[in-house]
Amino acid sequence: MESSSGEELEEEYPGHEWITPQSSINAAYQSQTEKVRFFPLSCLTPRLSYSPYIRPAHGGEFHLLICPASFCFFCFCVGIRKICSELLELKDAIENLSGNRQSKYLAFLRISEEVVEAEQELIELQKHVSSQGILVQDLMSGVSRELDVWFKSNKEEDTKEKDFQAELDEILSDDTQDPKAIFLDKLDALLAEHKMEEALVALEAEEKKYLVTDESGKESNAELSAFKTALFKRKAILEDQLVRWSEQPSLPITELRKSLAGLVKIGKGSLAHQLLLKAYGSRLQKSVEAFLPSCSIYTETYAASLSQIVFSAIAKAAKETNTLFGDSPMNMNRIIQWAEYEIETFARLVKENSPLPESVSALRAACICIQTSLSHCSFLETYGLKFSKLLMVLLRPYIEEVLELNFRRVRRKIVDAARNDDILLLTPQEGSPLSGAVAPNIMLTSSGKKFISIVNDILDQVTPMTIVHFGGAILNKFLQLFDRYVETLIKVLPGPSEDDTLLESKEPVEFKAESDAQQLTLIGAAYTIADELLPAAVAKFFDMQTEKKGTGGSSEGLGSGSIYSIEYKEWKRNLQHSLDKLRDHFCRQYVLSFIYLEGKSRLDARMYMERKTDDLDPLPSLPFQALFGRLQQLASVAGDVLLGKDKIQKVLLSRLTETVVMWLSNEQEFWDVFEDRSVQLQPSGLQQLILDMHFIVEIAVCGRFPHRPVQQLVSTIITRAIAAFSARNVDPQSALPEDEWFLETAKAAIHKLMLGTSGSESEPEPEPEEHVALHDEISDSDESIATPSTSGSEDSFASANNDELESPVYFTDPEA
């Protein structure tokens, strides 16, 4: 019974893994008739207490002796527990299944609601489509009517009847598309993919096709206007892409040309030119910023390198402009404005990165900058760009500042050299800066050599273009430099200077030229520099520019400081004026050194008072005899010091005689003696004064000096003396001999003094000495005189003792 019921239960609930089959239970728990078995005590539950049925077994293990009925009850309890546990698990699973079913049901409800809403939207959409269909049908009907009207109005006989409704349906059907729409879609795809070249080609081709279609007149104005608007919008998009592509800083120049050419094709040439200049400006700025750190290293060539960078960029931009955009005036004005801005920036950078303006490197850098920049400007003229004037306006203040400070620096050197000159005579050595510019017989002092060396150093820095534009300024600077040198020499020479403000009184003069040889050496060096060395140094630049001008070189754009605006002869004349200051100072102090001597040789008006009239052998007064002796001794020293410089010797000796006469003419104290009523005047005094004046003229004539200025001054003095004596009741006509007497007496006196004879028998006749051979012929020319012979003495008359001056061995007092 039980087994059969168990089998039925298995058949009723098969396949559930969590239900234990009855067969398994039967197999586990056998029938009650099974024999008694011994079970290990460890398999029993601890809840069972020990009983008398527990017996020891083999191996020390205790076994429980149970009857079959008790064992079956135990197994049944264990099964009940297991079934309860499984039932609890089944309960939990059922609850989970119920919860899942509830959530899925709620989700199903939400989906149902959404489906209902979608159905409503579909219904509304169907209504909208239906209304649109009605509109389309109305439009089609209207078009059909219009076509019918048009064809009815056309009365051509050869027109065939067509099914306009069918044709219109074919045009408006979904199977066919408008070619314009296809093109616009294709163009949009190209623009979206940034295929600018293909889009540009397609747009250009379509525009040509559109123009042909537009001219045919087959399309309505509305369609053409809409298509034109669409093309314009897409052209604007393409323009924006090309602009952004052109503005990329690392874009190669070839790609830049392509993008700019594309802008030109779509009619944006002005914008393309602006982008071109912007791109070149950006590249130029980067190049300049990369170069500026090296300016402090290449101090002399940095300006030329910077000029190369700037003007090369301008030239490239001009070339690209002509290639891409042509040479229209608008493009030309635009590139000129851009280039002017870059040139202004270049001039500012040259000034900011220049070394110290007074340094030689700054002068060299400035000259090279002018040379290189103007060469670049000349090249840019091939593109119609002229920037030479602008460049000179921007750089002129800087160049002038550098020139001024450099000449100030060398002026200090020259002044120091002249103040400390040791008067050592230097001859030009082979290979020296002087050897190729002067004759072998020219000799200079150390300060003179320093001066001409400085001049050559400056000229070595100057470039031809600098001479062209700043030649006049440089010549004037050299003239000022020589003036400063002369002023310093005047301080070195002895005697007070009438122009004491030439040099500051605080400047020390460590050397004074006391002897005649030293003084003549300094004067000879100054004359050599002014007459030969300095003109020879600048002549090569002057001749080079003159030759350039004569061979067709253009002088357009040269400023007022150009070398061509200053006469070279005028500049040399100014050099002579500086020499005149030095010569006049020397002659003045030399003449005054014996005019105010104490003793009989002092030139005083009182020596003409109350003179005797019975002189058998009249001679000039002692001061004029001393003057003659001094001129002889000075000529002897000049023959040694200024060997081969006859012109300088003649100029100095002539100026000395002229200075004496000028002093007599202008010295008011001398004439006050004759105008003093308390002093009695004698005709012999007037005769002696006139004889002295003829004696001075005869010195100039016999020495072949320029004597006309002396004659004019002497004539003025004689006229004034006659007037003074006539005012004191002295009749010149009755008291004075003929003019021939004065002339012959003066010549005889010169001859006697040259032979060393004396008119006094009480004085022993000195041995004859060799003096300067003076010619009797009168000459006003500036030709060189015969080279004077030396007397064998190195002592100058200016350095002799006063006692010797008072009684020279060959002088004769007319009163003795």
Side-chain angles (χ1 to χ4, degrees), residues 358-370:
E358 63 270 13
S359 62
V360 179
S361 57
L363 177 61
R364 181 62 176 171
C367 294
I368 295 178
C369 176
I370 290 294

Side-chain angles (χ1 to χ4, degrees), residues 791-810:
S791 60
S793 174
E794 296 294 336
D795 297 333
S796 98
F797 193 85
S799 60
N801 296 328
N802 291 339
D803 295 340
E804 297 176 356
L805 289 176
E806 292 177 1
S807 57
V809 293
Y810 52 85

Side-chain angles (χ1 to χ4, degrees), residues 200-477:
L200 183 63
V201 173
L203 184 60
E204 187 178 6
E206 187 65 21
E207 282 184 343
K208 294 180 180 179
K209 181 180 178 181
Y210 157 72
L211 292 175
V212 174
T213 305
D214 191 11
E215 293 176 357
S216 64
K218 295 181 179 180
E219 299 187 25
S220 64
N221 293 332
E223 293 178 356
L224 293 177
S225 177
F227 186 64
K228 184 178 180 180
T229 302
L231 288 180
F232 180 78
K233 291 181 180 179
R234 285 156 180 81
K235 188 184 292 186
I237 296 173
L238 178 60
E239 175 188 346
D240 182 66
Q241 291 181 356
L242 289 173
V243 169
R244 285 189 281 110
W245 180 253
S246 302
E247 290 178 344
Q248 293 183 3
S250 59
L251 185 67
I253 190 64
T254 54
E255 296 296 329
L256 179 63
R257 292 195 191 101
K258 292 180 181 179
S259 60
L260 295 179
L263 288 173
V264 173
K265 289 181 180 180
I266 62 176
K268 298 296 180 180
S270 177
L271 176 60
H273 192 207
Q274 293 177 2
L275 291 174
L276 173 68
L277 297 180
K278 183 179 179 181
Y280 272 98
S282 177
R283 285 171 168 81
L284 175 59
Q285 183 179 1
K286 290 182 179 179
S287 300
V288 170
E289 290 176 354
F291 173 74
L292 287 179
S294 62
C295 290
S296 58
I297 302 175
Y298 307 101
T299 56
E300 293 186 358
T301 59
Y302 83 96
S305 301
L306 192 60
S307 172
Q308 176 71 26
I309 295 173
V310 173
F311 285 95
S312 295
I314 295 176
K316 291 179 182 178
K319 183 178 180 181
E320 291 292 338
T321 299
N322 291 339
T323 303
L324 295 176
F325 312 104
D327 54 352
S328 65
M330 183 178 297
N331 293 334
M332 185 64 64
N333 292 334
R334 191 178 293 114
I335 195 172
I336 286 175
Q337 293 177 359
W338 173 76
E340 287 178 350
Y341 171 77
E342 297 298 341
I343 292 175
E344 291 175 358
T345 304
F346 160 72
R348 177 177 54 82
L349 292 175
V350 169
K351 298 175 185 177
E352 291 177 355
N353 296 275
S354 171
L356 294 177
E358 63 270 13
S359 62
V360 179
S361 57
L363 177 61
R364 181 62 176 171
C367 294
I368 295 178
C369 176
I370 290 294
Q371 183 73 25
T372 307
S373 301
L374 290 178
S375 299
H376 290 311
C377 290
S378 177
F379 173 75
L380 288 178
E381 291 181 0
T382 58
Y383 296 100
L385 303 175
K386 297 181 179 181
F387 299 116
S388 299
K389 292 182 179 180
L390 174 64
L391 182 68
M392 293 310 303
V393 169
L394 295 175
L395 291 180
R396 183 173 295 277
Y398 166 69
I399 303 299
E400 290 178 348
E401 179 187 5
V402 171
L403 287 174
E404 177 65 25
L405 294 179
N406 269 270
F407 273 94
R408 286 184 184 179
R409 173 179 55 82
V410 299
R411 189 184 304 134
R412 291 191 295 268
K413 289 185 177 180
I414 290 175
V415 170
D416 293 340
R419 288 204 310 262
N420 303 322
D421 200 343
D422 52 3
I423 317 296
L424 292 177
L425 297 180
L426 302 173
T427 57
Q429 300 296 328
E430 184 178 357
S432 67
L434 305 177
S435 59
V438 299
N441 61 341
I442 290 181
M443 306 182 73
L444 288 176
T445 63
S446 59
S447 63
K449 182 180 179 182
K450 182 70 173 179
F451 179 89
I452 201 63
S453 175
I454 289 175
V455 170
N456 287 326
D457 289 342
I458 293 177
L459 290 176
D460 288 341
Q461 312 303 324
V462 177
T463 58
M465 282 297 181
T466 308
I467 293 292
V468 170
H469 290 271
F470 297 93
I474 292 175
L475 282 181
N476 288 331
K477 295 296 182 183

Side-chain angles (χ1 to χ4, degrees), residues 433-650:
L434 305 177
S435 59
V438 299
N441 61 341
I442 290 181
M443 306 182 73
L444 288 176
T445 63
S446 59
S447 63
K449 182 180 179 182
K450 182 70 173 179
F451 179 89
I452 201 63
S453 175
I454 289 175
V455 170
N456 287 326
D457 289 342
I458 293 177
L459 290 176
D460 288 341
Q461 312 303 324
V462 177
T463 58
M465 282 297 181
T466 308
I467 293 292
V468 170
H469 290 271
F470 297 93
I474 292 175
L475 282 181
N476 288 331
K477 295 296 182 183
F478 283 143
L479 181 60
Q480 296 173 6
L481 204 63
F482 185 73
D483 284 340
R484 188 69 170 180
Y485 174 66
V486 168
E487 292 168 2
T488 309
L489 293 183
I490 290 176
K491 285 293 183 180
V492 173
L493 294 176
S497 172
E498 293 182 358
D499 193 2
D500 291 332
T501 62
L502 293 178
L503 296 176
E504 297 181 2
S505 59
K506 295 182 180 179
E507 293 182 355
V509 179
E510 300 182 2
F511 177 80
K512 279 286 188 179
E514 298 292 345
S515 66
D516 290 346
Q518 292 175 340
Q519 296 177 30
L520 291 176
T521 300
L522 292 178
I523 296 174
Y527 269 88
T528 301
I529 292 173
D531 288 342
E532 301 178 26
L533 299 185
L534 188 54
V538 301
K540 56 181 179 179
F541 295 96
F542 184 86
D543 294 341
M544 178 176 57
Q545 298 307 320
T546 304
E547 181 181 357
K548 178 181 177 182
K549 184 179 180 182
T551 55
S554 175
S555 59
E556 180 183 358
L558 301 183
S560 58
S562 169
I563 196 171
Y564 304 118
S565 64
I566 296 179
E567 292 292 338
Y568 184 63
K569 292 182 179 180
E570 182 66 23
W571 177 73
K572 293 192 68 175
R573 190 177 297 113
N574 291 330
L575 287 179
Q576 293 300 322
H577 292 165
S578 297
L579 285 176
D580 291 343
K581 291 192 299 183
L582 178 63
R583 180 200 61 192
D584 293 343
H585 174 77
F586 167 76
C587 294
R588 184 170 54 253
Q589 61 86 18
Y590 197 84
V591 169
L592 292 179
S593 65
F594 79 90
I595 285 179
Y596 292 105
L597 286 176
E598 297 296 336
K600 294 181 180 181
S601 297
R602 178 183 177 87
L603 183 57
D604 192 352
R606 292 180 177 81
M607 65 183 181
Y608 298 107
M609 304 294 112
E610 299 180 354
R611 298 187 61 86
K612 297 179 180 180
T613 59
D614 55 352
D615 294 335
L616 300 178
D617 191 9
L619 290 175
S621 304
L622 284 179
F624 293 96
Q625 296 181 40
L627 173 63
F628 179 74
R630 284 213 170 191
L631 291 178
Q632 283 187 304
Q633 292 191 16
L634 188 62
S636 177
V637 175
D640 294 334
V641 176
L642 304 176
L643 182 63
K645 297 298 177 182
D646 299 337
K647 182 179 178 180
I648 300 177
Q649 300 178 38
K650 184 171 63 174

